[in-house]
Amino acid sequence: MTIANGGELPARLEGKFSAMVICWILGLGSLVAWNSMLTIGDYYYNLFPTYHPSRVLTLVYQPFALGTMAILAYNESRIDTRRRNLVGYFLFFASTFMLIVLDLATSGRGGVGPFIGICALVGGFGIADAHVQGGMVGDLSFMLPEFIQSFLAGLAASGALTSALRLITKAVFEKSNDGLRKGTMLFLGISTFFELLCVLLYAFFFPQLPIVKYFRSKAASEGSKTVKADLAAAGIQTKEDQGDEDNAKQNDRLSNKQLFFQNIDYALDLFLIYVLTLSIFPGFLYENTGEHKLGTWYPLVLIASYNLWDLISRYLPLVKFLMIESRKGLMIAILSRFLLIPAFYFTANYGDQGWMILLVSILGLTNGHLTVCVLTAAPKGYKGPEQNALGNLLVLCLLAGIFAGVALDWLWLIGKKNAF
């Protein structure tokens, strides 16, 4: 089968719903391992009470994710997307499975050694995240906007799913002997299954969908080299004698620098969204919200509230009048979110748990909605290779925002100790 440059609309859309479902599952698998780590924070606080595990593990995760993403984004046009994504999903699977092995090997004991082992595996999560998020967003950027929306909704669904499972396992095992650990092991086992499912779906099912073949063929015809392995897996061979023509098209595309400066407002949007979110979530919610009637359930309820509204909000842009397409409007909305910082500070010190749950819900609602608006609007109007590159650059800015937010999150801890 040779590359086709066109095709009738019905043929192009064949397999659209299946592709959206798989994108959703692949999105879920991109963060389910890390969200599992965040959601079982109560277990790690029980094992390592003096190590600030929620903050430390997040701080360990981010440099690996950001550093790897910077390298991958710089070399994006020369990297085999299929291999990149499969490596990422397999690394997620292996690292999650090794968390179970480590806990079993140490019999659920605390101490410096097990904590260092957990940190090493979390570093693996960061490397996997950079492979998968940048690779998938770049890959989907030259397809339909609905695919990116489904993938991003899957990312949020991983948080909602892990929160729901954590609440269930806590309720089931709370009064049993060693119940917290039993719930955690079940939790990690489910996460490992989802990671393996993502490896299989991306390797064998996603490349075979007609609509995916169409968009990858179109990207290849525009000079993209990153899709060739995926096309080959689908039985589509590119013509070898088109090498010079492909190189000319590749050189004709905008450079990463040009793409970045043309979309610097979108890049700043994502950076600012995640600076704010990660300066509050999850460390502040575990350590700075005080004691309330919900007791040990309180941080879990806060995490669940954030994840639920983050998931719901990622479907809101499907309602046309809720989709923010104005670049100026996006920036105003994103800057307005920073009013949440004083709101969280005063609520933590003077408000009750109801107000805190409301604020956390607003944080999740705005985080998901604005992320989808930016990542679906930015790639419009570019050729396939440029859309892939831009997707990688925007994910890099997103991860930079997460890293900065995690670093700023420690100011809440400093403020707590020094009456900030």
Side-chain angles (χ1 to χ4, degrees), residues 208-257:
Q208 301 296 333
L209 296 174
I211 192 168
V212 174
K213 291 180 184 179
Y214 168 78
F215 281 110
R216 284 176 171 164
S217 297
K218 184 174 181 293
S221 72
E222 293 172 344
S224 176
K225 296 180 179 180
T226 63
V227 297
K228 289 188 176 182
D230 278 310
L231 289 173
I236 302 175
Q237 299 297 323
T238 56
K239 295 179 180 179
E240 296 299 330
D241 58 2
Q242 287 183 334
D244 292 339
E245 181 182 348
D246 287 346
N247 287 333
K249 290 178 180 177
Q250 183 72 16
N251 293 332
D252 188 48
R253 55 154 276 190
L254 294 173
S255 68
N256 285 359
K257 182 177 180 181

Side-chain angles (χ1 to χ4, degrees), residues 109-419:
R109 292 192 302 270
V112 175
F115 190 68
I116 291 174
I118 292 170
C119 287
L121 293 173
V122 166
F125 285 159
I127 295 171
D129 184 13
H131 278 76
V132 168
Q133 281 208 59
M136 286 302 302
V137 170
D139 200 23
L140 300 177
S141 290
F142 55 75
M143 300 186 195
L144 295 177
E146 292 93 328
F147 290 1
I148 291 185
Q149 185 275 327
S150 292
F151 179 78
L152 295 175
L155 291 176
S158 68
L161 175 66
T162 53
S163 289
L165 287 173
R166 189 70 192 104
L167 292 172
I168 292 169
T169 55
K170 183 175 176 62
V172 170
F173 294 109
E174 187 174 30
K175 295 182 180 179
S176 65
N177 184 39
D178 205 16
L180 190 59
R181 184 178 179 227
K182 290 176 182 176
T184 298
M185 291 299 99
L186 175 61
F187 203 81
L188 291 176
I190 293 171
S191 298
T192 303
F193 165 77
F194 276 116
E195 298 299 353
L196 180 59
L197 178 62
C198 287
V199 173
L200 298 176
L201 284 175
Y202 188 83
F204 301 110
F205 293 96
F206 192 61
Q208 301 296 333
L209 296 174
I211 192 168
V212 174
K213 291 180 184 179
Y214 168 78
F215 281 110
R216 284 176 171 164
S217 297
K218 184 174 181 293
S221 72
E222 293 172 344
S224 176
K225 296 180 179 180
T226 63
V227 297
K228 289 188 176 182
D230 278 310
L231 289 173
I236 302 175
Q237 299 297 323
T238 56
K239 295 179 180 179
E240 296 299 330
D241 58 2
Q242 287 183 334
D244 292 339
E245 181 182 348
D246 287 346
N247 287 333
K249 290 178 180 177
Q250 183 72 16
N251 293 332
D252 188 48
R253 55 154 276 190
L254 294 173
S255 68
N256 285 359
K257 182 177 180 181
Q258 289 171 316
L259 285 169
F260 178 78
F261 281 108
Q262 284 187 12
N263 295 275
I264 194 167
D265 56 329
Y266 287 133
L268 186 59
D269 285 343
L270 288 171
F271 179 83
L272 292 175
I273 289 171
Y274 285 87
V275 161
L276 175 65
T277 299
L278 271 294
S279 68
I280 296 169
F281 178 90
F284 174 85
L285 303 184
Y286 272 108
E287 299 189 21
N288 293 82
T289 52
E291 299 292 333
H292 295 276
K293 294 177 183 178
L294 289 171
T296 59
W297 287 82
Y298 187 51
L300 296 182
V301 169
L302 292 178
I303 298 293
S305 298
Y306 170 87
N307 286 326
L308 175 62
W309 284 102
D310 186 39
L311 172 60
I312 293 172
S313 68
R314 295 185 186 225
Y315 288 97
L316 295 181
L318 293 177
V319 181
K320 190 169 180 61
F321 76 89
L322 294 177
M323 177 71 173
I324 305 175
E325 297 182 302
S326 165
R327 297 172 84 143
K328 185 181 293 185
L330 278 170
M331 182 61 73
I332 291 171
I334 288 164
L335 290 175
S336 299
R337 291 180 82 230
F338 281 84
L339 294 173
L340 288 171
I341 292 178
F344 269 100
Y345 175 75
F346 285 108
T347 302
N349 286 279
Y350 308 110
D352 62 21
Q353 59 192 27
W355 286 106
M356 183 60 72
I357 292 171
L358 175 63
L359 282 179
V360 169
S361 299
I362 294 172
L363 183 71
L365 182 68
T366 54
N367 182 84
H369 184 216
L370 293 171
T371 298
V372 172
C373 288
V374 172
L375 286 175
T376 54
K380 292 179 180 178
Y382 291 102
K383 296 188 296 184
E386 295 167 341
Q387 291 170 322
N388 191 6
L390 180 58
N392 276 268
L393 290 171
L394 292 177
V395 171
L396 176 62
C397 293
L398 183 155
L399 291 177
I402 292 175
F403 181 75
V406 169
L408 290 172
D409 181 44
W410 284 87
L411 293 178
W412 293 108
L413 185 62
I414 296 169
K416 183 179 178 181
K417 290 182 177 180
N418 298 284

